[in-house]
Amino acid sequence: MSQSAQAAQPDPAPGEQRRTQMRRVVLSGLLGSTIEYYDFMLYGTVASLVFDKLFFTGLSPLAGTIAAFGTFAVGYLARPLGGALFGHFGDRLGRKTMLVLSMAMMGVASTLIGLLPTHDQVGNLAPTLLVVLRLVQGVAVGGEWGGAALLTAEHAARRRRGLLTSYVQMGGPAGTVLSTLVLTLFATLPDDQFLSWGWRVPFLLSAALLAMGLFVRLKVTESPLFAEVQQSNAVVRRPVMEILRRPKPLLLACFVVFGATVSQALTGVFAISFATGVGYERTDILVGQLLNGITAAAAMPLSAALSDRVGRRPVLLGAALALAAVAFPVFLMVGTGSVPLMMLALGLLAPLPMGALLGPVPALFSEMFGTSTRYTGVSMGYQLAAVLGGGLAPLAATTLLSASGGHSPTLVALYMFLACLVSATAIRLTSETHGHDLDHTTTSEPERPLAGHL
């Protein structure tokens, strides 16, 4: 085609450009959160299977497991720091730059974990380096989720905000599925090979995932709402202080998702250690985790799309109560030693309501905070729940199981049940945000409904 003919070609229509950009934003959010959670949850699974043997040698099996889960918790403790740090700069400098940085930090840290020497090789330096890299992982994932969720929300049309932002949330179980699938392939190796090098390969693959994710993310445009904030000189100097001045939305956001984060950690991390003690084969447990992620991922867009029609609160409340109802059956079924019952419990009964509870959360959180403080508010709310819920849950559950003699999971199930009731209470106290438009106000309260805004 000649240059004159090319010049005569019309530019894409504005509507087509918006749709193309929306697809890029959704794909970027899904890929970014998948990569982040692949790395983050891979650590949790390997901690359950390997780290007590390689990095915490010389301890009893129980003490080694607690030490391994302790390093897992360190990553969760760093997540609010990442949320506050990335939120601060994301609300001041822009969403895209922070999301590129968070992805790069996670990919580099995970690759380095795959290269770490063991305790037998360098002594106490090995667990020290492991903790440092876990901290970097926690900071990175603390900045990723909130930024990806709100960037999608700020590009999305109001009527589809729940559905489109749920793809970011799907990155959690998708990353878990991917990490479990890759790890399952290497878990079939003989024990000596798996412990010497097999567990390292999934971490080293993070480098390839990082390159793919950055390629997509660099093509995404900045949030149009944040651009309005910059143009109107409405950037907030200290977004964290703005959020803390009126902390009600932050606290409600934290406890809305609290039950889901507890359940996610108990059925996705602690359950591996518990099931190993019951006597299940390693590959059977990993297949159960694979089904867990697939079911949760499938439930998320369905519940989010429903919340676009009937509202966020009724969907979230129903999911929280359903998740509470299955807490005792799930752990009793895993404790039977029956592989089909374990698969049913971890692969369907727990992740279905858990995914339904998590699906509408990105839209709800984005609607609870103004644009000038949204990155900070969304990130800190979710990451505080991650610490109080997911980060401490495996440690707490291991302690509760030990207190019951190491066999009865009743106290663990009670823990999950009560956490879900906390979420149900917070949902009842949260205002309905469905139908609210996102504008560039600085308020930390849910924004008022406006007509005609995308």
Side-chain angles (χ1 to χ4, degrees):
M1 184 180 293
S2 67
Q3 290 184 352
S4 60
Q6 288 179 337
Q9 295 296 316
D11 292 332
E16 181 59 33
Q17 289 178 332
R18 285 196 297 270
R19 286 190 290 272
T20 299
Q21 189 56 223
M22 190 69 248
R23 285 192 291 268
R24 287 177 180 170
V25 170
V26 172
L27 179 60
S28 168
L30 175 59
L31 274 178
S33 56
T34 297
I35 293 167
E36 295 274 338
Y37 279 95
Y38 167 86
D39 292 331
F40 197 75
M41 298 310 294
L42 175 64
Y43 186 104
T45 306
V46 175
S48 303
L49 299 173
V50 171
F51 286 166
D52 60 327
K53 303 174 182 66
L54 297 182
F55 293 93
F56 302 99
T57 56
L59 301 177
S60 68
L62 176 61
T65 300
I66 290 176
F69 281 154
T71 65
F72 177 78
V74 162
Y76 275 92
L77 291 172
R79 285 172 65 165
L81 173 61
L85 187 64
F86 279 87
H88 173 83
F89 289 105
D91 282 327
R92 287 184 56 79
L93 304 178
R95 285 59 162 122
K96 179 180 173 179
T97 302
M98 293 300 104
L99 286 171
V100 169
L101 180 59
S102 71
M103 183 182 287
M105 285 177 61
M106 177 63 86
V108 171
S110 298
T111 302
L112 291 177
I113 288 174
L115 298 172
L116 280 180
T118 65
H119 188 277
D120 288 343
Q121 294 172 318
V122 296
N124 290 333
L125 180 62
T128 301
L129 292 173
L130 183 66
V131 169
V132 170
L133 292 175
R134 182 59 175 174
L135 280 169
V136 175
Q137 279 193 325
V139 171
V141 80
E144 167 66 27
W145 185 90
L150 69 90
L151 186 64
T152 304
E154 290 176 350
H155 275 88
R158 179 180 58 189
R159 67 184 182 279
R160 302 180 65 206
R161 189 181 298 139
L163 174 62
L164 293 176
T165 56
S166 72
Y167 291 113
V168 174
Q169 194 71 295
M170 285 175 65
T176 302
V177 167
L178 183 60
S179 67
T180 304
L181 186 60
V182 172
L183 194 60
T184 300
L185 295 176
F186 290 93
T188 58
L189 292 168
D191 281 349
D192 59 335
Q193 294 184 35
F194 180 70
L195 289 174
S196 64
W197 62 268
W199 69 270
R200 296 180 182 274
V201 179
F203 284 103
L204 297 177
L205 290 175
S206 297
L209 294 175
L210 172 63
M212 179 178 64
L214 287 177
F215 176 78
V216 174
R217 180 151 286 176
L218 288 170
K219 292 180 176 292
V220 172
T221 59
E222 182 56 88
S223 159
L225 292 181
F226 181 75
E228 290 180 24
V229 169
Q230 287 184 312
Q231 291 169 6
S232 60
N233 294 318
V235 173
V236 175
R237 292 187 62 187
R238 297 182 180 86
V240 173
M241 298 307 299
E242 286 291 320
I243 293 294
L244 295 180
R245 261 190 211 104
R246 287 178 286 185
K248 180 181 176 182
L250 176 67
L251 294 175
L252 287 176
C254 171
F255 289 110
V256 160
V257 78
F258 177 74
T261 60
V262 168
S263 303
Q264 201 170 36
L266 292 181
T267 63
V269 177
F270 167 77
I272 297 175
S273 177
F274 174 60
T276 301
V278 172
Y280 293 99
E281 294 294 328
R282 184 169 61 204
T283 51
D284 289 334
I285 298 169
L286 292 175
V287 170
Q289 292 305 302
L290 192 66
L291 294 174
N292 184 288
I294 292 172
T295 303
M300 286 174 181
L302 297 177
S303 67
L306 182 62
S307 78
D308 282 332
R309 292 181 173 272
V310 304
R312 317 294 184 210
R313 290 178 74 241
V315 175
L316 290 167
L317 184 59
L321 294 176
L323 189 56
V326 303
F328 287 96
V330 162
F331 282 99
L332 290 175
M333 290 166 71
V334 174
T336 62
S338 165
V339 172
L341 286 179
M342 182 269 289
M343 296 284 188
L344 179 62
L346 297 183
L348 182 65
L349 204 58
L352 193 60
M354 184 174 66
L357 178 54
L358 288 168
V361 163
L364 172 70
F365 283 19
S366 296
E367 292 158 352
M368 291 174 70
F369 300 93
T371 303
S372 296
T373 58
R374 185 170 291 129
Y375 203 142
T376 303
V378 169
S379 296
M380 289 183 64
Y382 195 86
Q383 303 312 332
L384 283 172
V387 172
L388 298 175
L392 299 179
L395 278 172
T398 301
T399 304
L400 291 172
L401 187 65
S402 177
S404 64
H407 302 291
S408 174
T410 302
L411 291 177
V412 177
L414 179 62
Y415 177 28
M416 177 172 161
F417 175 80
L418 293 175
C420 294
L421 291 188
V422 169
S423 280
T425 303
I427 293 164
R428 287 293 303 269
L429 295 173
T430 301
S431 300
E432 178 60 70
T433 62
H434 169 245
H436 287 190
D437 275 305
L438 305 182
D439 60 26
H440 64 274
T441 60
T442 60
T443 179
S444 294
E445 300 294 336
E447 297 178 18
R448 61 189 182 281
L450 299 172
H453 198 294
L454 282 177

